[in-house]
Amino acid sequence: MDVSIIIVNYNTRASLRRCLHSVTAFPPLCEFETIVVDNASIDGSAEMVKKAFPQAVLVENRINKGFAGALNQGIRRSRGKLLLFVNPDVILARGCIEVLAEFMDRHPEPGICGPKLLNPDGRIQLSCRAFPTLVNVFFGRMSLWNRFFPQNRISRSFLEADLDYSVVQEVDWIVGACMMVKRKVVDSIGFFDEDYFLFVEDTDFCYRARKAGYSIYFVPHGVATHERGVSMRKSFVVSKYSHNISMYKFFVKHYKLNSIIRACLRIGLIARLLVVIPVEGIQRSL
């Protein structure tokens, strides 16, 4: 088995159908398997997979085990030497899987790679990032600083906004919406950290891979469309809370923080939640 495609789903039946169709409509030339881990959806997602895509391996959870936990379930069920993690709101273009698999086969040093992601309107989606620091964590894509001052240097640097998205290149890390990983990386550094229930598990995984000596590459010749955040639209507050909590866990885990810095970080994240959630809620309602 060359490639195991692993998709974690939570109440995104329509998007999941489109994602799976993009695999079956343009199946990769290499040997592959598709594994769907459903995190206790109540929208009929599992039934849809059984009926419309019976060739897919379906793992049905009775409770929501979190994104990282479900990813690990998929890894344990997989047999491929290459693992392609795909969000259900991603549509893979023809040849995307082959491009990534061929790149990994030809280059021994990369442990992780990702394709060019497009927004539904065709614009390039910023899918590469610098690793978060105590400064740039407050200047991310959804931060107020970036919303009101999108050209500020800290946000642009963290989001790799000035990256040339037309060339193959090594990056700090790539977003996990569509990410190919060599199995030997998992064998070396372990599974996704299930302490992250939602968000930042991809950042953490890439960070550990880089520390273990594996490089991470952006491969623009593979293309996918990412709708972004489909499952989170109905749980906006939970989504923001989870992201901030996961980011705090990342800093505590990987950076040496004294008690004063930890306290300041907690205060900063709480303040961010108190400001970002109301402001974004107003913007979304408008």
Side-chain angles (χ1 to χ4, degrees):
M1 187 66 65
D2 292 324
V3 180
S4 293
I5 304 167
I6 300 173
I7 305 170
V8 173
N9 176 73
Y10 178 65
N11 290 325
T12 58
R13 180 180 59 183
S15 295
L16 177 62
R17 179 189 290 272
R18 291 191 292 269
C19 178
L20 290 171
H21 178 72
S22 72
V23 176
T24 58
F26 309 115
L29 300 177
C30 58
E31 188 178 359
F32 75 99
E33 63 179 352
T34 304
I35 301 170
V36 177
V37 183
D38 186 75
N39 255 339
S41 296
I42 58 174
D43 67 343
S45 291
E47 291 73 16
M48 181 276 294
V49 174
K50 293 176 185 176
K51 182 178 180 180
F53 304 95
Q55 71 277 18
V57 176
L58 176 63
V59 179
E60 295 183 76
N61 289 331
R62 294 185 177 181
I63 61 172
N64 188 337
K65 295 190 175 182
F67 195 71
L71 286 173
N72 291 339
Q73 285 181 283
I75 294 172
R76 294 186 180 98
R77 292 291 297 269
S78 67
R79 297 174 292 155
K81 66 178 182 179
L82 294 172
L83 307 172
L84 180 63
F85 302 105
V86 183
N87 282 9
D89 55 1
V90 167
I91 297 176
L92 299 166
R94 184 195 295 267
C96 178
I97 299 175
E98 287 96 333
V99 167
L100 298 181
E102 183 178 354
F103 177 82
M104 294 297 244
D105 286 339
R106 288 188 174 184
H107 300 86
E109 66 279 3
I112 301 172
C113 75
K116 178 190 294 181
L117 294 182
L118 302 178
N119 291 315
D121 62 5
R123 291 180 299 135
I124 291 177
Q125 194 171 109
L126 302 181
S127 58
C128 303
R129 297 281 190 277
F131 283 120
T133 67
L134 290 172
V135 174
N136 66 26
V137 67
F138 294 103
F139 292 80
R141 179 174 62 88
M142 303 302 292
S143 69
L144 291 179
W145 287 106
N146 189 53
R147 283 183 175 273
F148 294 120
F149 307 101
Q151 300 304 316
N152 76 83
R153 290 187 299 172
I154 300 178
S155 289
R156 293 188 66 83
S157 176
F158 175 53
L159 298 173
E160 297 286 12
D162 299 315
L163 199 72
D164 185 350
Y165 274 80
S166 66
V167 298
V168 176
Q169 57 194 297
E170 185 175 359
V171 296
D172 268 6
W173 67 282
I174 56 173
V175 298
C178 187
M179 181 170 71
M180 181 170 281
V181 178
K182 291 178 179 176
R183 181 173 291 276
K184 68 178 183 180
V185 176
V186 177
D187 294 338
S188 173
I189 70 173
F191 291 82
F192 287 90
D193 187 345
E194 297 184 18
D195 196 36
Y196 303 100
F197 186 82
L198 185 64
F199 297 120
V200 190
E201 74 290 322
D202 50 358
T203 314
D204 176 89
F205 189 85
C206 289
Y207 189 85
R208 289 187 285 131
R210 287 292 297 269
K211 288 186 67 176
Y214 295 101
S215 55
I216 300 169
Y217 272 80
F218 170 71
V219 184
H221 307 304
V223 180
T225 299
H226 181 210
E227 193 171 353
R228 185 187 280 160
V230 171
S231 63
M232 292 297 102
R233 290 174 183 168
K234 297 180 181 180
S235 53
F236 167 70
V237 174
V238 173
S239 172
K240 292 300 173 187
Y241 177 81
S242 297
H243 186 272
N244 281 269
I245 292 299
S246 292
M247 187 58 70
Y248 176 77
K249 290 179 179 179
F250 177 85
F251 279 104
V252 172
K253 177 180 178 180
H254 292 293
Y255 299 151
K256 295 181 179 180
L257 307 177
N258 60 40
S259 58
I260 296 177
I261 295 179
R262 286 195 185 196
C264 291
L265 183 60
R266 284 196 295 268
I267 293 170
L269 291 175
I270 291 172
R272 178 181 174 182
L273 285 172
L274 292 176
V275 174
V276 169
I277 289 178
V279 170
E280 248 190 66
I282 294 172
Q283 290 178 333
R284 290 165 68 89
S285 65
L286 293 176

